[in-house]
Amino acid sequence: MIEKDVVIIGGGPAGLTAALYSSRGLLSTVLIEKAIIGGQIALSEWIENYPGFPNGISTAELTNNMKKQVESFNTQIMMDEVTDMETLDRGFLVKTWGEEIKTKGIIFTPGASPRKLGIPGEDIFTGRGVSYCATCDGPFFKDMPVLVVGGGDTALEEAIYLTKHANKVYIMHRRDKLRANKIIQERARKQDKIEFIFNALPQEIVGDQKVSKMIYKDKITEEIKELEINGIFIFVGITPNTDFIKNSKLEIAIDERGYISVDKNLKTNIEGIYAAGDVIKKSLYQVSTAVGDGASAAFNLQKYIEESYDE
Ligand code: NAP
């Protein structure tokens, strides 16, 4: 068993910033990450709307810099998975596979994961043509036609990235108006390799050993159509990573869509527990807003700890 002032769960931009503020505020801090430091931004190659980098910056470099910065203030980074959490008489107990940590406060920054389409063939062909990460899998489709499903920022940005590898990139959207930011729409429309298929409802992914077709329904004519492609990249939104919280002994308020409910200070329904980043409901999901939330959550938790543990 170890003791820390603050446990931060999730190593994306929100968690790394919370760790920076917490450890720089001289609270002993551990950040627990079960998979990849960087979180969802690791799924993209480049970011150009994070301030301070006029030419953009690679997400790997940005993450690496954030990690180095928190380590320089003595945050302990633990690559492990949280298995349970509970309230103690004072503070909380966080259990991972390898450790038990007694703490005064917790900040949840577990982020979100790509949402699935939920159609036949999606699960069977995941890793065999179906992907949720263009940076990871794009190079497998050199000079082949691929399909991107979705009409948001992620779908369009990743479709533009995929034009580097594929010889044709279809973007299939369920409406005739895109959700993505206008600047990204404009950029995608200028790409010769990109072709939009609007009012199209994905029905089934088919293939043999690997993906060969997407079957979809034309929403206007109700006709069932087929599109021959080698890869399908699905970007239809995100789902907050809160199952591990629901399955723990902590009774954190989580809304019907899985987001953690917080007040304006990013405090959850439990004193001493805060949340930040893509796991909370908000109007703008960006690295810049995750970073802001992470700083506020850590600052407010520090105030709580100073007031409650002033013995
Ligand atoms: P999103 O904005 O929620 O867009 C999801 C897209 O998928 C929408 O176009 C939606 O259609 C479509 N969709 C949802 N369910 C579907 C289904 N079952 N079948 C077919 N299509 C479906 O998600 P996102 O693009 O992943 O972005 C998540 C958040 O991150 C957003 O807030 C976004 O602004 C932000 N983000 C920002 C940047 C950036 O600033 N550079 C980059 C990436 C992401 P409808 O439009 O009809 O709902």
Side-chain angles (χ1 to χ4, degrees):
M1 160 108 68
I2 58 171
E3 284 193 32
K4 292 280 179 183
D5 293 325
V6 175
V7 173
I8 295 166
I9 303 172
L16 289 164
T17 311
L20 172 64
Y21 277 70
S22 176
S23 51
R24 191 167 175 271
L26 301 183
L27 296 172
S28 59
T29 304
V30 61
L31 181 151
I32 305 170
E33 167 58 56
K34 71 168 183 176
I36 304 167
I37 293 289
Q40 275 202 106
I41 61 164
L43 300 180
S44 298
E45 191 191 32
W46 198 256
I47 177 165
E48 62 173 28
N49 57 358
Y50 188 70
F53 301 95
N55 301 318
I57 181 167
S58 91
T59 57
E61 188 181 352
L62 183 63
T63 303
N64 206 22
N65 285 345
M66 287 185 183
K67 179 169 176 274
K68 271 198 233 158
Q69 200 171 358
V70 300
E71 284 174 331
S72 76
F73 287 103
N74 298 323
T75 290
Q76 180 186 351
I77 293 185
M78 190 183 273
M79 297 305 294
D80 202 343
E81 185 174 4
V82 172
T83 52
D84 203 0
M85 296 167 286
E86 61 189 87
T87 306
L88 303 174
D89 285 344
R90 284 202 96 189
F92 310 96
L93 185 68
V94 176
K95 296 181 183 173
T96 68
W97 292 113
E99 193 58 272
E100 291 196 351
I101 309 154
K102 193 167 172 261
T103 186
K104 295 172 181 166
I106 298 175
I107 303 175
F108 286 122
T109 53
S113 300
R115 194 188 293 151
K116 289 187 170 187
L117 261 178
I119 58 170
E122 183 175 12
D123 285 342
I124 309 166
F125 289 109
T126 295
R128 293 197 283 141
V130 171
S131 170
Y132 303 84
C133 176
T135 325
C136 320
D137 299 324
F140 294 124
F141 300 94
K142 186 126 198 72
D143 298 326
M144 296 180 204
V146 298
L147 167 67
V148 166
V149 182
D153 287 336
T154 310
L156 267 65
E157 279 191 353
E158 299 310 304
I160 295 167
Y161 168 78
L162 285 166
T163 61
K164 283 191 192 178
H165 302 288
N167 59 10
K168 179 88 193 172
V169 181
Y170 296 96
I171 299 180
M172 183 172 285
H173 183 39
R174 63 181 175 184
R175 293 185 291 141
D176 61 358
K177 275 205 174 59
L178 295 165
R179 181 178 290 277
N181 191 299
K182 292 275 179 299
I183 191 168
I184 303 172
Q185 289 194 29
E186 228 170 76
R187 218 174 278 166
R189 287 183 202 280
K190 278 192 192 140
Q191 293 282 340
D192 292 340
K193 284 187 185 174
I194 291 182
E195 183 176 330
F196 288 93
I197 305 174
F198 288 112
N199 295 310
L201 304 174
Q203 304 290 301
E204 186 177 355
I205 295 168
V206 292
D208 186 6
Q209 289 304 306
K210 288 185 174 171
V211 165
S212 62
K213 285 178 205 167
M214 170 66 96
I215 313 278
Y216 67 99
K217 185 178 185 177
D218 184 318
K219 213 166 83 182
I220 310 295
T221 63
E222 302 248 306
E223 211 181 323
I224 298 291
K225 296 182 174 173
E226 290 183 3
L227 181 72
E228 289 195 8
I229 28 72
N230 293 101
I232 300 181
F233 289 83
I234 299 171
F235 302 112
V236 293
I238 53 175
T239 306
N241 295 326
T242 43
D243 283 352
F244 78 102
I245 303 174
K246 290 182 205 157
N247 295 336
S248 79
K249 295 190 190 77
L250 282 184
E251 292 189 355
I252 298 286
I254 290 175
D255 74 14
E256 68 289 346
R257 298 196 65 193
Y259 291 93
I260 299 178
S261 305
V262 288
D263 66 12
K264 66 179 181 2
N265 292 321
L266 300 162
K267 186 174 81 62
T268 67
N269 58 316
I270 299 183
E271 293 293 325
I273 303 189
Y274 292 73
D278 286 357
V279 78
I280 61 171
K281 190 86 200 108
K282 56 184 177 174
S283 58
L284 189 62
Y285 292 88
Q286 304 273 306
V287 179
S288 55
T289 59
V291 157
D293 295 345
S296 299
F299 173 78
N300 293 325
L301 174 57
Q302 175 147 27
K303 270 206 310 198
Y304 163 81
I305 290 175
E306 284 168 2
E307 282 159 16
S308 315
Y309 287 81
D310 185 23
E311 59 245 355

